[in-house]
Amino acid sequence: MQFVMELWKPILLSGLAVWIISALVWTVMPHHKKEFAKLPNEDAVGDALRASGAGAGLYALPWMGDPGAMSDPERKAKMERGPIAYVTIAPAGMPAMGPMMLKTALTNLLISVFIAYVCWHTLAPGTEYLKVFRIAGTIGFMTYALGTIAESIWFARPWKSFGLQAIDALMYGLVIGGIFGWLWP
């Protein structure tokens, strides 16, 4: 835990900086504005979801349940007919922004703790700025970008969406690298 005592400033500052940049990315910058599209006949789809009784959670359509279901002719026909959908249902009502912002800030701090841990064990005190920048920034980019690839591979999230996340992750990585390089002991 000595790394936390030595690197608490870059941990806090980078976590806070990514939190602020993330908020700006999603509220001010234009590149995520068209990432989500309106469903045709949105009201009918909403009515159907409400009528289904499905609560908050993750759902797949058609539901396969187990690997053996893929060999069932009826299930195969449903897959061929489509649509194939992965649906996230959130609780009804306006989202509670305060708790979500707090969870995001805590996640960013946790990521910065892990970046500090790896850097502490791979870089000596006094390491030059550019080397710290490169290592911390790469870890930051990898953390924020690569974790979302599986959503595009397995759950049909558009690759464009991954690309937008990667752009965000590059910004975060550059800021993280800069802060760790600047405040490296």
Side-chain angles (χ1 to χ4, degrees), residues 25-40:
V25 160
W26 282 94
T27 59
V28 177
M29 295 180 72
H31 65 286
H32 286 291
K33 299 290 186 226
K34 295 184 179 179
E35 189 171 356
F36 293 88
K38 181 179 179 180
L39 280 168

Side-chain angles (χ1 to χ4, degrees), residues 3 7 16-17 23 30 32 34-35 37 50 55 58 65 76 80 95-96 101 109 114 127 129 134 140 143 155 169:
F3 77 96
L7 298 175
L16 178 63
H32 286 291
K34 295 184 179 179
E35 189 171 356
R50 276 185 292 281
L58 297 174
K76 280 184 174 180
E80 293 298 324
M101 296 293 276
L109 286 172
F114 278 96
T127 300
Y129 172 88
R134 216 172 42 240
T143 302
F155 301 108

